[in-house]
Amino acid sequence: MVPAGLSPADEEEWIATVLRRLAARERRRAPSDAVLLHRARELSARYLDGRAAPASVRWVNNQRNRWGSCTPDDGTIRLSAQLRGMPGWVVDYVLLHELTHLIEPGHGPAFWKLVNRYAKTERARGYLEGVVAAPHLPLADEIAT
């Protein structure tokens, strides 16, 4: 919401200020890399019988076309910074997906059998598909006219 009576220039400044505040809040709310590593180890223990042992888990800013990636050879997992601020169960799904790649490199039946141990797998996948699709959908105002 923008205060009434602002000039267009003041309105732009107000919006920029609010966006900076929201971004700062999201950065504070997102778990640190150390917290991500701890969470990944918990997920491995709970859903993968502890078989996936990540060496590191960290946020990265250079992933625009994927939510996460891993390198099975050295046990590193990277999560897209675009996940910051998304519900924890979505981040958990992406973490579990990447953890599973430490055990099963491909996306075959054995991989999905492990990933699907997480009860919110389909829900999280739908959420992420919606995030990808949303910018390409017409706005409600455009539909009504």
Side-chain angles (χ1 to χ4, degrees):
M1 302 189 86
V2 177
L6 292 180
S7 70
D10 288 340
E11 188 175 303
E12 283 186 39
E13 184 178 328
W14 173 259
I15 292 169
T17 299
V18 170
L19 289 175
R20 280 192 304 274
R21 288 178 186 165
L22 287 171
R25 184 184 315 157
E26 290 304 316
R27 282 191 300 275
R28 286 190 303 272
R29 193 170 82 175
S32 67
D33 292 353
V35 171
L36 283 177
L37 179 59
H38 179 75
R39 184 65 184 148
R41 289 177 175 156
E42 287 178 341
L43 291 167
S44 176
R46 183 170 180 183
Y47 296 103
L48 303 173
D49 305 318
R51 293 176 30 205
S56 69
V57 181
R58 62 188 173 95
W59 296 109
V60 295
N61 293 313
N62 63 351
Q63 288 191 37
R64 300 277 180 232
N65 297 319
R66 56 177 67 188
W67 298 113
S69 63
C70 76
T71 305
D73 291 343
D74 64 9
T76 59
I77 293 175
R78 293 156 305 280
L79 295 185
S80 171
Q82 295 178 81
L83 290 166
R84 289 182 177 196
M86 289 191 191
W89 51 271
V90 174
V91 176
D92 281 355
Y93 161 73
V94 175
L95 263 175
L96 184 65
H97 183 109
E98 298 309 327
L99 284 165
T100 304
H101 279 306
L102 298 178
I103 301 166
E104 291 287 335
H107 288 104
F111 172 85
W112 288 111
K113 183 176 181 182
L114 291 171
V115 171
N116 286 329
R117 290 179 177 182
Y118 182 59
K120 294 184 179 177
T121 290
E122 288 304 312
R123 183 176 175 196
R125 291 183 72 190
Y127 184 99
L128 293 169
E129 288 172 6
V131 168
V132 170
H136 308 290
L137 298 175
L139 298 175
D141 291 345
E142 293 174 6
I143 294 170
T145 58

